[in-house]
Amino acid sequence: MLTILPFSALLAACIRDSDFGVDAVASPAPATDDRWPIVQGRGGISAHLEGSRLRLARGNDVISTRAVAWGKGSAMSSTPSTLPVVVACPSAKVTRPPVCEPRLEYRSTGFTEWWAPRFEGFQQGWTVDRAPAGMGELTVEVDLEGGEVRVAEGGLQVDGEAGEVFNVSGLAAWDANGTALNARFALTAGGFSVRVDDRGAQYPVQIDPVYSTPGATLAGDARPDLDFGARG
C-alpha cells in the first residue's frame, strides 16, 4: 500500500534504509507551480516547470518541450495540458548504497510522459500502456520551442537562439518483456517525433531519449549532484 507524503518526506523515506533489497517508496506528490525547479549539477543543464511544459536551460538559452500527441497514423490522441506529479524512487528497489532517483510524471489515460535527471543531462521518457488503434508505427509527437531542431550523428541537435547546443540522443524503446524495439527520430514542423516499430510487442512499451550537452559524458556509475525539490 502506498502512502502519500510531502515531497521532502518522500525523499527522506526513499533513502532512509541502506539494506539491499528494501522496498523503496514510490508515492506521487503534486508539483503545483512554475517555481518548482530541477537542478542538474553536471552536464550544464537546469530545468523548471512552466505550466504543463518543461524548460531546459543552459547558458543564455532556454528550450521548452512537451509531448503533444501519441498513437498511430491518423488515430493520434492529443495529450492534455496537465501539471505533473513527483514520484520518488520509481524503480521499486533501492540498492547499496541507496540511490533515490525521483522523476516528474505527466499522467493521462493510457500514456505517461516522464522526466528524470541523469549524469549527462535529463532523460525524457514515455510509457504507453496499451497498443493504440490505427496502423503503422507507434508515434510520439514532441513540441519544442526556443531552438532549431536538426538531424545529427546519434540523434538530434537543438541549436538554441543564443548559440547553445542541446543533444537529443540515446533513443531506446522496449516492451513489457524487455525486448528492444526499433526506434527512430523524425523532424516535424513543431519539433520532432519518435517512431517505434511495435510489431509483436507486449505492452506497456517504454521509450526514452536523453537531453544532454556536447561536453557531457556518462562515466561508469557516476551520478549527478541533484537538487530535486520545491522552492519558495
Side-chain angles (χ1 to χ4, degrees):
M1 178 177 179
L2 297 179
T3 302
I4 306 300
L5 300 171
F7 181 74
S8 59
L10 279 172
L11 289 185
C14 192
I15 62 176
R16 67 190 171 201
D17 293 312
S18 60
D19 292 335
F20 178 80
V22 174
D23 287 340
V25 174
S27 303
T32 55
D33 68 50
D34 61 6
R35 294 177 299 170
W36 196 98
I38 313 165
V39 178
Q40 172 68 28
R42 301 181 184 179
I45 303 177
S46 63
H48 70 274
L49 294 177
E50 184 183 66
S52 62
R53 303 176 70 89
L54 197 75
R55 289 163 53 95
L56 301 175
R58 184 173 190 260
N60 294 322
D61 265 317
V62 178
I63 61 174
S64 172
T65 181
R66 68 178 290 259
V68 294
W70 64 282
K72 290 185 175 185
S74 60
M76 298 288 286
S77 299
S78 298
T79 59
S81 296
T82 59
L83 288 173
V85 294
V86 180
V87 178
C89 304
S91 60
K93 296 287 183 180
V94 294
T95 60
R96 184 188 296 277
V99 174
C100 183
E101 295 184 327
R103 72 186 191 187
L104 290 176
E105 292 188 357
Y106 293 83
R107 298 174 176 177
S108 58
T109 302
F111 180 83
T112 298
E113 178 179 16
W114 48 268
W115 287 87
R118 292 291 180 262
F119 183 92
E120 68 271 50
F122 286 92
Q123 185 175 34
Q124 182 182 32
W126 306 282
T127 302
V128 182
D129 294 339
R130 60 184 181 275
M135 301 294 290
E137 298 170 302
L138 171 63
T139 301
V140 178
E141 298 281 353
V142 178
D143 181 70
L144 192 146
E145 299 176 353
E148 182 178 352
V149 185
R150 60 187 178 89
V151 175
E153 183 177 357
L156 302 175
Q157 179 174 307
V158 182
D159 297 323
E161 296 173 352
E164 296 288 351
V165 173
F166 301 82
N167 293 331
V168 188
S169 59
L171 179 60
W174 62 96
D175 71 2
N177 296 326
T179 302
L181 306 174
N182 290 328
R184 62 187 179 93
F185 291 112
L187 299 182
T188 64
F192 65 91
S193 67
V194 173
R195 302 181 182 184
V196 178
D197 183 350
D198 69 339
R199 288 175 295 182
Q202 298 296 311
Y203 277 75
V205 164
Q206 294 200 60
I207 314 162
D208 58 19
V210 173
Y211 288 73
S212 63
T213 57
T217 57
L218 183 61
D221 292 329
R223 295 182 181 274
D225 300 321
L226 300 179
D227 185 354
F228 197 21
R231 299 300 180 93

